[in-house]
Amino acid sequence: MEITLKINGVEKKLNVEPRTLLAHAIRDAGLTGTHIGCDSSSCGVCTVVLDGKTAVKSCTMFAVMAEGHEITTIEGMAQGGKLHPLQQAFYDQHGLQCGYCTPGMIMAAHVLLQHNPNPTEEEIRFGLSGNLCRCTGYQNIVKAVQQAAQMLQQPAGAAADD
Amino acid sequence: MIPAAFEYKRPMSLEEAISHLAEHGYDARVLAGGQSLIPAMRYRLAQPSVLVDINKLPNLGYLHEENGMLRIGALVRDTDVEFNKNIQSKYHLISDVSMVVADPIVRFRGTVVGSLCHNDPSGDWAAAAIAARAQMVIQGKNGSRVESIDQFLVDSFATSIGEGEMAVEARFPTPNSLTSGAYEKIERKVGDYATAAAAVQIELNPDGTIKEAGIGITAVAHMALRVVEGENLLRGQKPTLELIRAAAEEVRKIADPNPDARGSAEYKKDMARVLVGRGLIKALRRLNVVVA
């Protein structure tokens, strides 16, 4: 069946089966930043953002169910050639080792910060507990989210003056 | 892993959804959050030939109090409950559960009603619904009916929902100021099935004796169970540590867990006992009654 998915603001017509998982549809559309890890809803590397404020493990949603929703993937985070504060913070804090979990971590952290712009360390660990890093690099991931929270809280333009 | 092929229906009204379910009977499954069903389909543990996606149905995302009940529509996500300030302040048991169901990402999609309909032997919401004496609203072609949670939860992965029917709402009684509860869960890691878990709710009389008690345990039997004898021991009594120990001991008489990587049967059974005790102590402490 033909469906239309709006991914990172761009409408894409895709030919899928009802059983096609959203993670596969996104990757088949050429956006391979969304990874597939455990295939069992556990690891969170396939996390994407739905309608700006909710996160979903895209291996646990059929592509047809995403019709009519705005999907954001890691490719949609940088704007105008400038890294999103979360991406910049993961870079600055070395919030990744092998990098496989990173897209899911960033998308999950993005949603976490929408709901809680100034989280404590404990709240960050709680909020990211559905995302696994097999390198166990959690310490710097938490630091990166803390830095991103600070960057996002600065008034617009302040960062550019630094 | 790819699920088996199925026919996809996306009704835009409740009537249309019910008519699809009536037409296909038990070959059809309702798809709400899909956080249990889709993994089961990927493992081919479930192979429904028709999925009826209810996510576009209007008016099933409500979450409000009415006539002494918290009404939870079939499209209310776990996070809707988790982030709700009124629930955090008044519904202690429900609030506790909403923070430990699956993991934070899964909770954005998973629904309370869907979890109850799935009736997994390790489900969190079933134990909570038992302890809080919830009700379920089931819709069919010829109208709806209300059932107690004890009538609704029939067996492992089985409920009283008939062919051509679907659950549209869960109802939890609104706790008064002398009511509190707690949910205690042991899990190896976030998102894993519970090793054992217990839901409790206590209502006190103004004189400090226990007016009503609810105890549900999960992951330690073929389905979530009510600890009836434990509730009976508590009712009418003044809460003491000895009483709580005696009520929790009743768990051991009905728990019948399977040994697995999470622990031996004896360990799980004993943990369920311990968790009921901890839950009761926490619920009483939330009512400013200190027994330990």
Side-chain angles (χ1 to χ4, degrees):
Chain A
M1 58 191 289
E2 186 162 275
I3 61 167
T4 305
L5 292 187
K6 196 168 182 187
I7 311 176
N8 303 326
V10 179
E11 291 205 341
K12 289 181 186 282
K13 281 204 191 311
L14 303 171
N15 206 354
V16 299
E17 286 185 74
R19 62 175 169 169
T20 303
L21 299 167
L22 179 59
H24 293 141
I26 289 171
R27 290 178 60 83
D28 288 348
L31 297 166
T32 52
T34 300
H35 295 166
I36 294 173
C38 67
D39 239 346
S40 62
S41 319
S42 303
C43 75
V45 304
C46 65
T47 303
V48 299
V49 175
L50 216 57
D51 300 326
K53 291 198 307 232
T54 70
V56 58
K57 295 188 178 183
S58 60
C59 76
T60 313
M61 184 172 187
F62 295 115
V64 286
M65 299 171 79
E67 266 198 305
H69 293 282
E70 304 256 348
I71 302 158
T72 310
T73 68
I74 188 70
E75 291 92 341
M77 293 298 278
Q79 295 294 327
K82 191 167 183 289
L83 291 180
H84 184 277
L86 267 164
Q87 294 172 305
Q88 187 62 48
F90 269 71
Y91 176 86
D92 292 344
Q93 298 295 333
H94 194 56
L96 60 146
Q97 290 176 35
C98 81
Y100 202 78
C101 72
T102 313
M105 285 288 179
I106 288 181
M107 303 319 283
H110 182 54
V111 168
L112 168 66
L113 293 178
Q114 311 274 317
H115 293 273
N116 185 356
N118 193 17
T120 62
E121 180 187 337
E122 195 183 357
E123 286 166 345
I124 293 170
R125 289 182 187 275
F126 179 84
L128 295 183
S129 59
N131 296 73
L132 302 181
C133 168
R134 288 202 70 182
C135 308
T136 71
Y138 295 104
Q139 205 68 21
N140 288 352
I141 290 171
V142 172
K143 280 186 200 162
V145 178
Q146 285 171 321
Q147 180 188 320
Q150 276 187 353
M151 291 167 73
L152 286 161
Q153 292 222 63
Q154 283 169 359
D161 298 337
D162 286 348
Chain B
M1 288 165 288
I2 314 291
F6 57 87
E7 198 181 327
Y8 177 73
K9 304 284 187 194
R10 187 160 58 198
M12 301 307 278
S13 71
L14 188 56
E15 294 69 33
E16 198 191 332
I18 298 285
S19 88
H20 286 309
L21 292 169
E23 184 185 343
H24 297 284
Y26 287 125
D27 292 335
R29 290 285 300 266
V30 172
L31 176 62
Q35 300 301 293
S36 297
L37 182 57
I38 296 175
M41 289 175 67
R42 273 192 322 235
Y43 284 114
R44 308 261 171 142
L45 296 170
Q47 296 194 21
S49 52
V50 178
L51 279 192
V52 180
D53 179 357
I54 63 167
N55 283 284
K56 294 281 194 263
L57 297 193
N59 310 323
L60 283 180
Y62 57 84
L63 175 63
H64 61 246
E65 289 175 336
E66 194 178 312
N67 298 328
M69 291 279 186
L70 178 70
R71 300 177 56 187
I72 304 178
L75 288 176
V76 170
R77 315 285 165 179
D78 292 320
T79 42
D80 296 333
V81 175
E82 182 182 357
F83 299 159
N84 186 294
K85 298 279 180 232
N86 182 45
I87 290 173
Q88 287 168 7
S89 69
K90 255 199 284 190
Y91 295 82
H92 303 156
L93 167 58
I94 293 176
S95 180
D96 276 7
V97 174
S98 74
M99 295 177 73
V100 297
V101 172
D103 70 47
I105 309 297
V106 168
R107 291 199 289 273
F108 277 111
R109 292 297 298 167
T111 64
V112 176
V113 171
S115 167
L116 290 166
C117 292
H118 191 59
N119 198 15
D120 189 295
S122 296
D124 297 296
W125 283 116
I130 287 170
R133 294 191 158 73
Q135 299 172 351
M136 299 298 289
V137 183
I138 301 164
Q139 180 80 39
K141 214 170 198 163
N142 301 316
S144 65
R145 65 174 194 277
V146 180
E147 290 195 346
S148 73
I149 195 67
D150 301 76
Q151 292 170 304
F152 180 78
L153 302 172
V154 173
D155 204 341
S156 305
F157 301 108
T159 68
S160 62
I161 298 172
E163 284 190 286
E165 292 185 327
M166 62 175 270
V168 289
E169 181 181 313
R171 291 180 179 170
F172 285 76
T174 302
N176 61 21
S177 62
L178 290 174
T179 301
S180 185
Y183 191 61
E184 295 285 328
K185 177 178 182 177
I186 295 177
E187 56 185 0
R188 295 182 303 178
K189 55 172 274 296
V190 167
D192 189 21
Y193 283 116
T195 302
V200 305
Q201 189 156 293
I202 290 278
E203 181 183 356
L204 295 178
N205 286 307
D207 69 3
T209 57
I210 295 169
K211 183 176 180 188
E212 183 58 280
I215 307 175
I217 52 175
T218 191
V220 288
H222 63 287
M223 60 183 285
L225 296 178
R226 180 183 297 286
V227 187
V228 176
E229 291 306 319
E231 294 175 350
N232 289 342
L233 278 177
L234 293 169
R235 210 173 283 121
Q237 303 298 310
K238 199 171 162 33
T240 63
L241 205 50
E242 290 71 35
L243 182 72
I244 288 169
R245 284 204 179 112
E249 189 63 31
E250 292 297 326
V251 168
R252 296 184 54 85
K253 298 178 188 165
I254 60 167
D256 185 21
N258 288 323
D260 60 18
R262 296 174 188 85
S264 65
E266 183 55 30
Y267 171 73
K268 291 182 179 186
K269 199 188 267 196
D270 208 44
M271 286 307 101
R273 175 187 69 83
V274 167
L275 295 175
V276 166
R278 279 186 199 163
L280 289 168
I281 288 168
K282 186 183 274 184
L284 286 163
R285 191 170 291 152
R286 286 169 167 172
L287 293 166
N288 296 317
V289 177
V290 177
V291 290

